[in-house]
Every structure is written in C-alpha cells, then in structure tokens.
Amino acid sequence: MIMQVLAILVLGLMCGSELNVAAFGHPTLNWQSLEVHISVRSSLAVLLGRVMPFWMAGSTLLNLLLLLPFEHLNASAWRLAAISFAIQAAAVVFSLVAPVPINNRIKNWTPKNLPEDWRAQETRWDRYHWFRTCGLIVAFALLLLSAY
C-alpha cells in the first residue's frame, strides 16, 4: 500500500509539472521579448533536462515495483498498474527519440545563436511534450484507479 501511494504521488507530481510546462510555462514565454523567451526557454531546457530523466525513470520504476508479487495487488489493480507502467515506459522511450534531442539543442541557444528554424523546433518540441503529457495523465489516472 505504501509503495502504491508513493508511485501515485510521484507520478501525479510529475504530471502536474509536465502540464504546467505545456499549458502555462511555454505559452507564457511566447508573449515575452526574444531575449527573455530564449534565455528562459534555454534555462528550463537545462534544468528539466537534468531533473526529468531521474523523475521519469524513478516514477516508472516505482510503478514496475507495484507489479511484483510482494505488493499483493488484486487482479484488477494489477492490470491497471500494468497498463499505467506500459504507458510510462512508452513515454520514456518516446522522450528519448522525440523531445530530448530537440531539448538538447534548445539548451544551447542564446538570442545571438538561434538556428533559422528555431520556432519550428520549439513547436515540434511543444507538440511532442503535449502528446507525452497526455499519455502520462492517462497513466496517472489508471494508477490512481488501481488503488480503489
């Protein structure tokens, strides 16, 4: 039960963070001057690029631990947690092939060294991020349902 609560808490907090970036953080940056926009976006890319790999992997690992026999989930709860885990694992793989390579470029941007297609790269990252965030919210809902 403690592991289940911890898995729900960690994934829920991550979903909140991801939703904040998608719905509020990055859209707000679009209203700022180019210098502020790029400086903050780059800083966020550096910070979240350091934190999120551990947060996403840790959350996925906590969910995986729920599937082991010592947690004694009933069949329905186990299925829900397993689907949630599969979504989280897919989100990790998706992150590595889609938004992370763009993020690794964004973190090196300054207002003076922007690539010509910087807006297109940001738009692509934002779309990938929304897709991943929606998947993680579904995983969170399933994990939450597994506790009932």
CSV table of all heavy atoms in Angstrom, one decimal, residues 25-26 29 32 34-46:
chain,number,residue,atom,x,y,z
A,25,GLY,N,3.7,27.5,-18.8
A,25,GLY,CA,5.1,27.9,-18.9
A,25,GLY,C,5.5,28.4,-20.3
A,25,GLY,O,5.8,29.5,-20.6
A,26,HIS,N,5.5,27.4,-21.2
A,26,HIS,CA,5.9,27.7,-22.6
A,26,HIS,C,5.0,28.7,-23.3
A,26,HIS,O,5.4,29.6,-24.0
A,26,HIS,CB,6.1,26.5,-23.4
A,26,HIS,CG,7.4,25.8,-23.0
A,26,HIS,ND1,7.7,24.6,-23.5
A,26,HIS,CD2,8.4,26.1,-22.2
A,26,HIS,CE1,8.9,24.2,-23.0
A,26,HIS,NE2,9.3,25.2,-22.2
A,29,LEU,N,5.9,32.1,-22.3
A,29,LEU,CA,7.2,32.6,-22.9
A,29,LEU,C,7.0,33.2,-24.3
A,29,LEU,O,7.7,34.1,-24.7
A,29,LEU,CB,8.2,31.4,-23.0
A,29,LEU,CG,8.8,30.9,-21.7
A,29,LEU,CD1,9.7,29.8,-22.0
A,29,LEU,CD2,9.6,32.1,-21.0
A,32,GLN,N,6.8,36.9,-24.4
A,32,GLN,CA,7.9,37.7,-24.0
A,32,GLN,C,8.8,38.2,-25.1
A,32,GLN,O,8.7,37.6,-26.2
A,32,GLN,CB,8.8,36.9,-23.0
A,32,GLN,CG,8.0,36.3,-21.8
A,32,GLN,CD,7.3,37.3,-21.0
A,32,GLN,OE1,7.8,38.4,-20.7
A,32,GLN,NE2,6.0,37.1,-20.7
A,34,LEU,N,12.2,38.4,-27.4
A,34,LEU,CA,13.0,37.3,-27.8
A,34,LEU,C,14.1,37.0,-26.8
A,34,LEU,O,14.4,35.8,-26.5
A,34,LEU,CB,13.6,37.7,-29.2
A,34,LEU,CG,14.5,36.6,-29.8
A,34,LEU,CD1,13.7,35.4,-30.2
A,34,LEU,CD2,15.3,37.1,-31.0
A,35,GLU,N,14.8,38.0,-26.3
A,35,GLU,CA,15.8,37.7,-25.3
A,35,GLU,C,15.3,37.0,-24.1
A,35,GLU,O,16.0,36.0,-23.6
A,35,GLU,CB,16.5,39.1,-24.9
A,35,GLU,CG,17.4,39.6,-26.0
A,35,GLU,CD,18.4,40.6,-25.5
A,35,GLU,OE1,18.6,40.8,-24.3
A,35,GLU,OE2,19.0,41.3,-26.4
A,36,VAL,N,14.2,37.4,-23.5
A,36,VAL,CA,13.7,36.8,-22.3
A,36,VAL,C,13.2,35.3,-22.7
A,36,VAL,O,13.5,34.4,-22.0
A,36,VAL,CB,12.5,37.6,-21.7
A,36,VAL,CG1,11.8,36.8,-20.7
A,36,VAL,CG2,13.0,38.9,-21.2
A,37,HIS,N,12.5,35.3,-23.8
A,37,HIS,CA,12.0,34.0,-24.3
A,37,HIS,C,13.1,32.9,-24.4
A,37,HIS,O,13.0,31.8,-23.8
A,37,HIS,CB,11.2,34.2,-25.6
A,37,HIS,CG,10.8,32.9,-26.3
A,37,HIS,ND1,9.4,32.6,-26.3
A,37,HIS,CD2,11.4,31.9,-26.9
A,37,HIS,CE1,9.3,31.4,-26.9
A,37,HIS,NE2,10.5,31.0,-27.3
A,38,ILE,N,14.1,33.2,-25.1
A,38,ILE,CA,15.1,32.3,-25.4
A,38,ILE,C,16.0,32.0,-24.2
A,38,ILE,O,16.3,30.8,-23.9
A,38,ILE,CB,16.0,32.8,-26.6
A,38,ILE,CG1,15.2,32.9,-27.9
A,38,ILE,CG2,17.3,31.8,-26.8
A,38,ILE,CD1,14.5,31.6,-28.3
A,39,SER,N,16.3,33.0,-23.4
A,39,SER,CA,17.0,32.8,-22.2
A,39,SER,C,16.3,31.9,-21.2
A,39,SER,O,16.9,31.0,-20.6
A,39,SER,CB,17.3,34.1,-21.5
A,39,SER,OG,18.1,34.9,-22.3
A,40,VAL,N,15.0,32.1,-21.0
A,40,VAL,CA,14.3,31.3,-20.1
A,40,VAL,C,14.0,29.9,-20.6
A,40,VAL,O,14.2,28.9,-19.9
A,40,VAL,CB,12.9,32.0,-19.7
A,40,VAL,CG1,12.0,31.0,-18.9
A,40,VAL,CG2,13.2,33.3,-18.9
A,41,ARG,N,13.7,29.8,-21.9
A,41,ARG,CA,13.5,28.5,-22.5
A,41,ARG,C,14.7,27.7,-22.4
A,41,ARG,O,14.7,26.5,-22.1
A,41,ARG,CB,13.0,28.7,-24.0
A,41,ARG,CG,12.7,27.4,-24.7
A,41,ARG,CD,11.3,27.1,-24.8
A,41,ARG,NE,11.0,25.8,-25.4
A,41,ARG,CZ,9.9,25.5,-26.1
A,41,ARG,NH1,8.9,26.4,-26.1
A,41,ARG,NH2,9.7,24.4,-26.6
A,42,SER,N,15.9,28.3,-22.7
A,42,SER,CA,17.1,27.5,-22.6
A,42,SER,C,17.4,27.1,-21.2
A,42,SER,O,17.9,26.0,-21.0
A,42,SER,CB,18.3,28.5,-23.2
A,42,SER,OG,19.5,27.9,-23.0
A,43,SER,N,17.2,28.0,-20.3
A,43,SER,CA,17.4,27.7,-18.8
A,43,SER,C,16.5,26.5,-18.4
A,43,SER,O,17.0,25.6,-17.7
A,43,SER,CB,17.2,28.9,-18.0
A,43,SER,OG,18.1,29.9,-18.2
A,44,LEU,N,15.3,26.6,-18.8
A,44,LEU,CA,14.3,25.5,-18.5
A,44,LEU,C,14.8,24.2,-19.1
A,44,LEU,O,14.7,23.1,-18.5
A,44,LEU,CB,12.9,25.8,-18.9
A,44,LEU,CG,12.2,26.8,-18.1
A,44,LEU,CD1,10.9,27.2,-18.7
A,44,LEU,CD2,11.9,26.3,-16.7
A,45,ALA,N,15.3,24.2,-20.3
A,45,ALA,CA,15.8,23.0,-21.0
A,45,ALA,C,16.9,22.4,-20.2
A,45,ALA,O,17.0,21.2,-20.1
A,45,ALA,CB,16.2,23.4,-22.4
A,46,VAL,N,17.8,23.3,-19.7
A,46,VAL,CA,19.0,22.8,-18.9
A,46,VAL,C,18.5,22.1,-17.6
A,46,VAL,O,18.8,21.0,-17.3
A,46,VAL,CB,20.0,23.9,-18.7
A,46,VAL,CG1,21.0,23.4,-17.6
A,46,VAL,CG2,20.7,24.3,-19.9
